[in-house]
Amino acid sequence: MFDTLITEFDKGLRTLFAPAQSQRPRPDAGLEEAELGTAEKRHAMGLMRVNHCGEVCAQALYQGQALTARNQQAREALQHAAFEEVEHLAWTEQRIRELGGQPSLLGPLWYTGSLAIGVTAGLLGDKWNLGFLEETEHQVGAHLDSHLTALPEADAKSRAIVTQMRDDELRHADMAHEFGAASLPAPVKGLMKLTAKLMTATSYRV
């Protein structure tokens, strides 16, 4: 148990303070960098910062959920989702820096809160654990769709990254559903949306 806690603590430190690495090619590989105006570049950077912060939260959520999952199949589903989220973390961080910015300074705060939520979801039982995963991914998918509308049309590189992220998230949701995810109560879904809006509003700027 102690070894597991050390391993998970190390994961948290690497998520927050070490550059993430991707095994898949970046979705925007081969695309030309667009000529963006100052306001367009700042807006794209803000949106990608929000997405990066969301991936930091996802790492913490899935880490907490995997720690408390009882069923091996559920644990493996969460670990697989977390693996692809690391790649999203790498893509968004690299894109933020290409646009001249840096990740949100509030990452440690969001990570800590998300880890606590993930542990709590896991303690409720595997069907609720997977239900939380499914609902999270559906909400993230909708959030990324809104970013595809909001990103500058000319910014093909950011748009390619967000499109692949959205497709991965929706696949994670389908996987959770197939493994027996329970449908969350409407108040819980509403609270999740409210929390996401708060994270979006703050991480866009800071």
Side-chain angles (χ1 to χ4, degrees), residues 22 24-31 91 156-157 160-165:
S22 172
R24 286 187 291 175
R26 275 179 51 167
D28 61 328
L31 295 176
W91 299 343
K157 293 179 74 66
I161 291 170
V162 172
T163 297
Q164 184 61 59
M165 288 170 60

Side-chain angles (χ1 to χ4, degrees), residues 6-7 10 16 19 38 53 60 65 85 100 104 110 124-125 156 160 182 198 200:
I6 292 294
T7 299
D10 179 64
L16 292 170
T38 301
C53 196
Q65 288 178 280
E85 302 293 351
S104 173
W110 294 115
L124 293 174
L198 177 61
T200 297

Side-chain angles (χ1 to χ4, degrees), residues 12-89:
L13 291 178
R14 284 187 281 113
T15 296
L16 292 170
F17 303 114
Q21 302 296 322
S22 172
Q23 295 186 16
R24 286 187 291 175
R26 275 179 51 167
D28 61 328
L31 295 176
E32 295 292 330
E33 188 69 69
E35 290 291 335
L36 300 175
T38 301
E40 287 181 316
K41 184 175 287 189
R42 186 183 302 115
H43 182 52
M45 183 178 64
L47 293 177
M48 296 308 285
R49 184 186 291 122
V50 169
N51 292 331
H52 179 268
C53 196
E55 297 305 327
V56 169
C57 292
Q59 283 298 302
L61 280 170
Y62 298 148
Q63 183 182 356
Q65 288 178 280
L67 275 171
T68 49
R70 296 167 177 79
N71 180 274
Q72 181 63 28
Q73 190 178 46
R75 185 178 296 109
E76 289 175 357
L78 291 159
Q79 290 170 341
H80 176 76
F83 172 77
E84 289 193 341
E85 302 293 351
V86 171
E87 299 190 316
H88 298 173
L89 197 67

Side-chain angles (χ1 to χ4, degrees), residues 35-199:
E35 290 291 335
L36 300 175
T38 301
E40 287 181 316
K41 184 175 287 189
R42 186 183 302 115
H43 182 52
M45 183 178 64
L47 293 177
M48 296 308 285
R49 184 186 291 122
V50 169
N51 292 331
H52 179 268
C53 196
E55 297 305 327
V56 169
C57 292
Q59 283 298 302
L61 280 170
Y62 298 148
Q63 183 182 356
Q65 288 178 280
L67 275 171
T68 49
R70 296 167 177 79
N71 180 274
Q72 181 63 28
Q73 190 178 46
R75 185 178 296 109
E76 289 175 357
L78 291 159
Q79 290 170 341
H80 176 76
F83 172 77
E84 289 193 341
E85 302 293 351
V86 171
E87 299 190 316
H88 298 173
L89 197 67
W91 299 343
T92 52
E93 179 181 345
Q94 292 161 11
R95 187 62 186 145
I96 290 167
R97 299 199 185 282
E98 290 169 356
L99 291 165
Q102 64 179 14
S104 173
L105 299 174
L106 300 177
L109 173 64
W110 294 115
Y111 184 92
T112 303
S114 297
L115 181 63
I117 293 171
V119 168
T120 301
L123 290 173
L124 293 174
D126 287 332
K127 69 174 184 177
W128 297 109
N129 202 355
L130 290 167
F132 193 83
L133 170 61
E134 181 181 21
E135 180 60 25
T136 297
E137 297 293 31
H138 277 311
Q139 291 193 16
V140 171
H143 162 83
L144 293 173
D145 270 332
S146 73
H147 278 202
L148 287 173
T149 300
L151 279 165
E153 190 66 34
D155 188 4
K157 293 179 74 66
S158 296
R159 296 176 68 83
I161 291 170
V162 172
T163 297
Q164 184 61 59
M165 288 170 60
R166 179 202 58 195
D167 293 346
D168 289 345
E169 307 293 4
L170 294 179
R171 191 173 67 255
H172 297 164
D174 290 341
M175 176 180 62
H177 186 78
E178 290 171 4
F179 286 163
S183 179
L184 300 185
V188 174
K189 294 181 181 181
L191 182 59
M192 290 169 67
K193 289 180 180 178
L194 182 62
T195 303
K197 286 181 180 179
L198 177 61
M199 185 272 288

